[in-house]
Amino acid sequence: MKTLVDHIVKVGIADLKFAEAPMHLRTSGLGSCVGVVIYDTRLKIAGMAHVMLPDSTSAKKDNINVYKYADTSLPVLLQTLLDKGAKRYQLKAKIAGGAQMFSFSSTNDMLRVGERNVVAVKQFLETERIPIVAEDVRGKSGRTIEFSTETLLLNVRTVNQGTQDL
């Protein structure tokens, strides 16, 4: 007999995974990182990306981890869902994370990684016309998220703030 733990696909930092009903996708360690779930409402299949940075153009090496960046992981997430039979018009998104984990007196935009991640994710989803139906972004606290492909709910646990379903 399978337990709930057997139904959880763990998504690591700078990682991307897929699941179908009744599986769950879970990632933790979302500080300035953003967790992005794109799912097909009819097929009940989903992918989750744990985006660390907004843009791969700042990478210093050639063999980058494409799952680390919004501009490289999200196209892979979308195309894989379409390859699995998802219909573009059925796709929805839920996002969480992008906190400002540290206080800086500097106005240097490079230090505002959480904000830059949120903007990059939203720009991609808008360009691809995938509606964001729920979000819990920014703030100052880390999060763990778990998405149910069965109920299509995103459970967000925020440090020192409790849990909510989106």
Side-chain angles (χ1 to χ4, degrees):
M1 182 170 143
K2 287 193 171 196
T3 65
L4 180 60
V5 174
D6 296 328
H7 290 292
I8 296 174
V9 177
K10 293 181 180 168
V11 181
I13 295 172
D15 195 7
L16 174 66
K17 297 273 176 68
F18 298 88
E20 54 190 52
M23 304 294 284
H24 288 218
L25 290 158
R26 178 190 294 160
T27 195
S28 57
L30 292 174
S32 58
C33 299
V34 175
V36 181
V37 178
I38 301 176
Y39 60 98
D40 182 301
T41 57
R42 183 181 50 85
L43 291 180
K44 293 193 172 184
I45 61 172
M48 179 184 285
H50 185 126
V51 173
M52 269 185 82
L53 294 168
D55 175 0
S56 63
T57 59
S58 61
K60 303 263 190 273
K61 51 187 175 177
D62 294 330
N63 58 339
I64 64 166
N65 173 359
V66 296
Y67 301 152
K68 186 175 186 177
Y69 305 94
D71 69 328
T72 53
S73 65
L74 299 180
V76 173
L77 172 54
L78 173 58
Q79 189 57 54
T80 303
L81 286 171
L82 295 173
D83 291 347
K84 290 178 175 284
K87 301 295 182 216
R88 188 177 283 273
Y89 63 87
Q90 296 277 24
L91 294 177
K92 307 273 188 255
K94 296 185 178 186
I95 65 174
Q100 180 66 41
M101 298 301 291
F102 308 101
S103 295
F104 296 107
S105 58
S106 170
T107 57
N108 183 346
D109 192 47
M110 292 304 290
L111 299 176
R112 297 178 49 226
V113 177
E115 178 63 24
R116 291 174 35 239
N117 282 339
V118 170
V119 168
V121 166
K122 287 185 170 190
Q123 283 177 343
F124 173 83
L125 295 169
E126 182 180 326
T127 299
E128 295 297 331
R129 294 186 171 95
I130 300 170
I132 300 171
V133 296
E135 65 180 79
D136 181 17
V137 295
R138 299 182 178 93
K140 296 187 183 304
S141 299
R143 297 167 176 92
T144 294
I145 62 172
E146 185 170 319
F147 182 77
S148 167
T149 56
E150 190 69 35
T151 65
L152 306 179
L153 287 175
L154 181 66
N155 179 268
V156 182
R157 286 190 300 274
T158 306
V159 175
N160 298 325
Q161 295 179 25
T163 302
Q164 63 177 329
D165 286 325
L166 305 175

